[in-house]
Amino acid sequence: MSGAVAMNRGRRPGLRLPRGLLVMGPPLLYLLVFLVIPYGEILLHSIWQVDGYTISKSLTAENYARIVENPLYRQVLWNSFSTALLVTLFSLLLAYPLAFYLTFVASRRRQFLYFLVVIPLLTSFLLRAYTWKLILGRSGLVNSTMQSLGLIDTPLDLFLYNQFSLVLTLVYIFVPFVALPIYAALEKLSRDQVEASLDLGARPFTTFRRVILPLSLPGVIAGCTFTFALSFGDFVAPSLLGGPDQIMIANVIISQFGTAFDWPFGSALAVVVVAIVLAVVAFGARIEKR
Amino acid sequence: MSAAAIDFDAAALQGGTVRLDRVSKTFDAFAAVSDLSLDIEPGEFLTLLGSSGCGKTTTLRMISGFEMPDSGTITIDGDRMQGVPPYRRPVNTVFQSYALFPHMSVEDNVAYGLTLKKMRRAEIRRRACEMLDRVGLLDKAGYRPDNLSGGQKQRVALARALVNEPRVLLLDEPLGALDAKLRREMQLELKRIQSSLGITFVYVTHDQEEALVMSDRIAVMHAGKIRQLDTPRNIFEQPSERFVAEFVGTENFLPVSIVAPDAAVLADGTRLKLAGKPAHTGSGVVAIRPQRLRLAEKGVENSVAGRLVEVVYIGAAVRLIVRLSGGETLTAEISPENLAAQPGPLTEGALIGLELPSDALLVFPEESES
């Protein structure tokens, strides 16, 4: 349709819009506004520097040098990396059986259970993170239950503000993100393919390893890269539920744009985060290709 | 597992026997198969023929082990299959959807069953290629199934099952997704493969022509039961009951009263001479195929008169819909030779005579169920 309109217009003098531009225009505009400009800004800021109370546009590599040289930032990056890795791993361990159950076992309860998996996605991220603070806190569900059972005399602090509470919360948040793409992949697999494998003499576990798992791998990779990227850059969960040792890179970046007023350094950290996430996504894409 | 199923070097393969003894299967109060008994001979091509929901696929799935019968026993080569999972049964299945593994090459698909057995890699490769050669797809060994045509996928599915040298091959409407020309070719090819390998084939279809072309015996199924088990010729020419006759293409049924072993009277009083088979007298139906009706002069024996309602040219013949004076309609397919012998205008509304040759008439007692 738009092509035909463009052709008619193209014949009128003075209005010679190339057809390609009409089709490509909107997506290009989208890319420009939401990708090129913001990321370009960050990239530019990362090679500028702070001069007193203003940002001076003189070029420098100083920001990046600081990240590499200061062990503190390397530590924080490692924190984020290991947390994201743990979150991805545990989310996958929970989400795969969940998706498997939904696809092959649930039958009639499937719609209802699917709804239950999706519904947390409709509530606020902050709220869901906060819920765990209530559950794990000094007067939270875990402590009060254990106290009333007489297992402990005084509330324990060991559930909250550590890597355990941080990873637990992020896993809780990201399980649906992993389960849904796996479910989509498993659903495409036909019952006949599973039965064909059994029929040809493969035991159930062999069938899983050689037919079901390889065919659901695209879903696994999609869910895992998603979860890794999002938890790597998360700042809500560490600030609500992490302890001083669980500061993650996003928290540091926020402080650079806030109290520290060092936008260039914050931008350099952000570029490093984007680079790491892109590397992980590329790695996932490579596995999927094979 | 019998020894023969493992012994791959057996020069001449022999098909297995399958015995179903009073087998029943119910799904949520729906009796898919009820009290079915069937002996399948070694090396025979047996077809389960019936419309959807008649229990033919359920029967097949109980032999392959994907459904367990509620009651009754299934034995393959004398071994009871109760509690034996699909992966331990000496049978293989060709699925209607082909069910090829999209993440494996054609060769790996075919080799799949062999890789699950203790066999040298070179031997697996040799056998897979040999089987691909047999179905004419050796040049496609490295392809992904998605890049094959429907007919080629079908051959891969067949090769993947046959390479395991099963005692019995189960085929669930394997030609259902192919176009008519290819289907006819594959019917003959399947029959050829079956007779050269000597494997017992159990074939499920709703297509009567397919069943007639390929089978040694046909079991016509309806409502979970076998209604007639016989050779294709007998099923076609001597259906045991009205349902079977209808299923294999007899369209005309006329209520009669049978007055003698060789005579019946139509509702309008026309007397029909029968070939003399029915032993009973009383009310019944006579049946005749559209192709066996002939145009006839008035007064010819076994002829009825009626008004032409519709004339349809169908290529090899002309189809006439004729309404008899009693209100029943007959469908006749008249050959060009017969038309030429009986000149006269075939216009709608014309009065014509149709002969019902007595050797073409089938007689059934009146069924209580309609």
Side-chain angles (χ1 to χ4, degrees):
Chain A
M1 272 298 278
S2 64
V5 170
M7 259 174 32
N8 288 340
R9 275 194 184 167
R11 295 210 183 88
R12 247 185 281 160
L15 254 172
R16 286 192 177 270
L17 259 179
R19 263 203 294 170
L21 199 66
L22 253 143
V23 181
M24 293 295 293
L28 281 179
L29 192 70
Y30 174 89
L31 286 177
L32 186 71
V33 172
F34 291 105
L35 269 163
V36 178
I37 294 178
Y39 282 89
E41 274 286 285
I42 296 283
L43 208 60
L44 277 179
H45 270 89
S46 75
I47 46 172
W48 290 341
Q49 48 190 305
V50 175
D51 190 6
Y53 291 107
T54 57
I55 293 165
S56 125
K57 293 185 178 177
S58 50
L59 302 185
T60 175
E62 179 60 26
N63 299 316
Y64 288 103
R66 237 166 103 195
I67 299 172
V68 178
E69 280 158 16
N70 192 330
L72 182 68
Y73 297 116
R74 289 207 305 266
Q75 178 61 39
V76 170
L77 274 170
W78 171 246
N79 269 355
S80 295
F81 191 86
S82 64
T83 303
L85 216 58
L86 282 174
V87 169
T88 308
L89 184 73
F90 285 116
S91 299
L92 180 63
L93 287 179
L94 285 173
Y96 201 102
L98 175 66
F100 191 91
Y101 181 86
L102 274 179
T103 320
F104 294 110
V105 189
S107 65
R108 265 172 229 165
R109 285 159 300 180
R110 191 157 147 180
Q111 288 297 321
F112 177 67
L113 290 173
Y114 181 83
F115 183 65
L116 286 187
V117 173
V118 173
I119 212 165
L121 298 177
L122 305 174
T123 52
S124 147
F125 186 103
L126 193 67
L127 192 72
R128 279 183 288 152
Y130 220 91
T131 312
W132 282 102
K133 205 164 169 154
L134 297 178
I135 295 171
L136 300 171
R138 280 184 70 85
S139 53
L141 188 68
V142 177
N143 269 318
S144 59
T145 308
M146 285 172 81
Q147 262 180 304
S148 67
L149 287 173
L151 294 172
I152 48 171
D153 295 329
T154 49
L156 297 176
D157 286 327
L158 58 97
F159 303 120
L160 205 50
Y161 308 122
N162 50 32
Q163 192 164 33
F164 165 74
S165 59
L166 175 62
V167 171
L168 178 69
T169 304
L170 286 173
V171 166
Y172 162 69
I173 286 165
F174 287 119
V175 159
F177 286 86
V178 188
L180 293 181
I182 296 177
Y183 174 71
L186 286 176
E187 227 197 356
K188 270 197 290 181
L189 203 144
S190 75
R191 185 185 72 165
D192 283 355
Q193 280 163 344
V194 177
E195 289 190 347
S197 170
L198 294 169
D199 185 78
L200 291 165
R203 293 159 163 279
F205 184 73
T206 312
T207 296
F208 175 76
R209 190 170 55 81
R210 294 190 51 186
V211 175
I212 300 175
L213 189 61
L215 288 175
S216 62
L217 210 56
V220 170
I221 289 167
C224 285
T225 42
F226 219 50
T227 298
F228 184 88
L230 289 178
S231 49
F232 190 86
D234 188 56
F235 67 93
V236 174
S239 52
L240 277 181
L241 295 129
D245 293 337
Q246 277 74 50
I247 288 182
M248 291 199 7
I249 194 67
N251 305 84
V252 177
I253 294 173
I254 283 182
S255 69
Q256 298 306 314
F257 283 89
T259 44
F261 191 70
D262 196 344
W263 287 28
F265 183 60
S267 299
L269 283 171
V271 169
V272 170
V273 168
V274 170
I276 291 174
V277 167
L278 281 180
V280 169
V281 170
F283 177 68
R286 262 193 76 162
I287 294 182
E288 202 186 330
K289 248 189 190 167
R290 278 198 299 147
Chain B
M1 297 274 281
S2 63
I6 303 165
D7 183 12
F8 282 93
D9 293 322
L13 280 165
Q14 215 209 336
T17 55
V18 181
R19 166 174 289 218
L20 287 86
D21 189 23
R22 309 202 60 181
V23 171
S24 295
K25 177 71 185 176
T26 304
F27 296 109
D28 296 333
F30 170 72
V33 172
S34 53
D35 203 23
L36 181 142
S37 296
L38 176 62
D39 279 326
I40 302 169
E41 308 287 335
E44 96 169 311
F45 195 126
L46 182 116
T47 298
L48 301 173
L49 175 66
S51 45
S52 67
C54 75
K56 57 189 192 299
T57 297
T58 305
T59 305
L60 198 77
R61 288 173 63 79
M62 286 193 290
I63 300 173
S64 59
F66 292 114
E67 304 289 351
M68 290 295 167
D70 297 333
S71 63
T73 54
I74 294 174
T75 54
I76 299 175
D77 288 337
D79 298 331
R80 279 190 60 165
M81 288 294 123
Q82 187 64 38
V84 179
Y87 50 90
R88 290 218 190 88
R89 296 193 180 199
V91 300
N92 285 118
T93 307
V94 176
F95 292 84
Q96 181 174 15
S97 66
Y98 316 134
L100 299 178
F101 305 128
H103 60 298
M104 298 178 194
S105 70
V106 165
E107 187 188 324
D108 288 345
N109 264 281
V110 174
Y112 188 83
L114 299 179
T115 59
L116 300 163
K117 303 184 171 94
K118 282 197 172 70
M119 194 184 282
R120 286 202 328 280
R121 195 174 287 248
E123 178 67 7
I124 292 174
R125 206 184 140 78
R126 190 185 66 77
R127 282 173 194 249
C129 290
E130 195 180 284
M131 193 48 75
L132 275 175
D133 194 29
R134 189 187 275 272
V135 298
L137 285 175
L138 194 53
D139 58 325
K140 301 281 190 290
Y143 281 46
R144 288 289 165 117
D146 286 346
N147 298 327
L148 301 182
S149 71
Q152 291 169 335
K153 284 182 192 170
Q154 216 285 315
R155 285 158 199 266
V156 175
L158 188 66
R160 185 179 67 173
L162 284 175
V163 79
N164 303 293
E165 308 192 344
R167 304 282 295 149
V168 180
L169 187 72
L170 310 172
L171 302 101
D172 188 4
E173 309 220 8
L175 309 181
L178 304 180
D179 63 60
K181 183 168 175 286
L182 195 56
R183 197 174 330 157
R184 276 199 209 103
E185 285 170 21
M186 284 302 293
Q187 285 168 9
L188 296 177
E189 187 166 330
L190 273 177
K191 179 66 191 165
R192 210 156 37 227
I193 289 173
Q194 190 263 339
S195 25
S196 72
L197 291 179
I199 295 176
T200 308
F201 272 37
V202 182
Y203 193 97
V204 159
T205 185
H206 62 268
D207 184 326
Q208 52 121 343
E209 186 203 311
E210 207 164 281
L212 294 172
V213 168
M214 293 190 287
S215 317
D216 295 320
R217 285 195 301 163
I218 298 173
V220 181
M221 290 187 67
H222 180 61
K225 287 187 189 314
I226 293 177
R227 306 304 285 259
Q228 186 173 2
L229 173 64
D230 217 326
T231 61
R233 178 176 291 271
N234 285 349
I235 296 271
F236 193 78
E237 292 177 3
Q238 284 151 30
S240 63
E241 56 179 285
R242 181 177 171 156
F243 171 80
V244 177
E246 254 175 295
F247 204 84
V248 294
T250 302
E251 286 175 41
N252 299 309
F253 295 89
L254 297 172
V256 289
S257 48
I258 302 158
V259 293
D262 62 348
V265 177
L266 284 177
D268 66 355
T270 312
R271 208 180 161 84
L272 292 177
K273 194 173 178 311
L274 306 179
K277 249 178 287 161
H280 59 88
T281 52
S283 62
V285 271
V286 294
I288 187 165
R289 290 179 182 279
Q291 297 81 3
R292 298 299 300 272
L293 285 163
R294 296 171 56 82
L295 286 175
E297 302 282 352
K298 218 171 159 55
V300 171
E301 194 183 46
N302 273 19
S303 73
V304 292
R307 277 199 190 280
L308 203 49
V309 179
E310 208 180 328
V311 183
V312 187
Y313 177 71
I314 56 168
V318 173
R319 181 180 291 147
L320 308 176
I321 315 283
V322 178
R323 175 156 294 136
L324 304 184
S325 54
E328 304 91 356
T329 53
L330 285 178
T331 304
E333 284 177 16
I334 306 298
S335 66
E337 295 79 26
N338 188 206
L339 269 182
Q342 295 287 331
L346 284 181
T347 49
E348 285 165 23
L351 198 66
I352 62 162
L354 285 173
E355 185 194 348
L356 290 67
S358 55
D359 64 341
L361 285 175
L362 300 165
V363 186
F364 304 112
E366 191 71 86
E367 290 155 46
S368 49
E369 45 165 350
S370 185

